[in-house]
Amino acid sequence: MVAIKNALVLYYSRTGNCGAVAEAIGETMHCPVQEIKDLKNRAGFWGFISGMIDIRKHPITDIEPKTVDLSACNTIFLGSPIWGMRFAPAITTVLERFDFKGKKIVLFAVVSGKFKQEKIDAYAQKLSARGAQVRIAFILKT
């Protein structure tokens, strides 16, 4: 089995799909997994609708935990579902608030619809511009 020292999987999942992928990565790489929770209720139909509105108008949300100590991490797997062709608000918040400078990032998106590689590449470029070393950015279709 492959093991990556000082790695962490960070993810948000509304339906469980992204969570299942994150757990599989953590198990395979023998590293801890940390769920980022959106404190806004995103459950059910109205949660989905409010998520679609928020991703367009207010992509930053209250999350728990508010921060994660990444000082001991060299590699971070960062995963999000795709809502309206964008990362979910919880992961958009993580991207804006957490310091990924000098960290190796594996960026993944879980999507059931259409989402083009250049969209996730744009997130990778934003992280790179802030000092992260994005190793790969990929999409998993469910």
Side-chain angles (χ1 to χ4, degrees), residues 121-142:
D121 290 344
Y123 284 103
Q125 288 173 356
K126 287 179 184 179
L127 280 166
S128 294
R130 292 180 41 215
Q133 301 168 22
V134 180
R135 297 299 191 194
I136 188 168
F138 63 94
I139 301 164
L140 295 166
K141 295 192 179 197
T142 58

Side-chain angles (χ1 to χ4, degrees), residues 8-141:
L8 175 67
V9 181
L10 285 174
Y11 77 95
Y12 167 77
S13 188
R14 186 180 87 86
T15 63
N17 290 338
C18 193
V21 171
E23 291 293 336
I25 291 170
E27 185 177 314
T28 302
M29 298 298 166
H30 302 284
C31 63
V33 177
Q34 173 70 57
E35 180 179 11
I36 301 296
K37 295 184 183 200
D38 189 331
L39 295 181
K40 186 169 185 177
N41 184 359
R42 305 283 184 190
F45 176 76
W46 292 113
F48 173 78
I49 296 299
S50 76
M52 290 298 116
I53 293 167
D54 288 350
I55 203 65
R56 299 275 184 220
K57 294 183 176 187
H58 241 284
I60 303 301
T61 190
D62 289 328
I63 59 172
E64 188 65 40
K66 293 196 181 304
T67 188
V68 174
D69 182 7
L70 302 176
S71 62
C73 299
N74 294 330
T75 303
I76 300 163
F77 297 85
L78 185 60
S80 178
I82 300 303
W83 297 359
M85 303 303 277
R86 295 186 172 114
F87 279 8
I91 294 301
T92 301
T93 303
V94 166
L95 290 171
E96 290 296 318
R97 294 187 181 161
F98 289 23
D99 182 10
F100 294 105
K101 187 174 183 179
K103 306 297 181 189
K104 297 172 189 161
I105 306 293
V106 175
L107 196 58
F108 65 96
V110 178
V111 62
S112 60
K114 295 180 181 179
F115 189 69
K116 295 184 179 180
Q117 183 66 37
E118 50 267 14
K119 295 279 190 181
I120 196 169
D121 290 344
Y123 284 103
Q125 288 173 356
K126 287 179 184 179
L127 280 166
S128 294
R130 292 180 41 215
Q133 301 168 22
V134 180
R135 297 299 191 194
I136 188 168
F138 63 94
I139 301 164
L140 295 166
K141 295 192 179 197

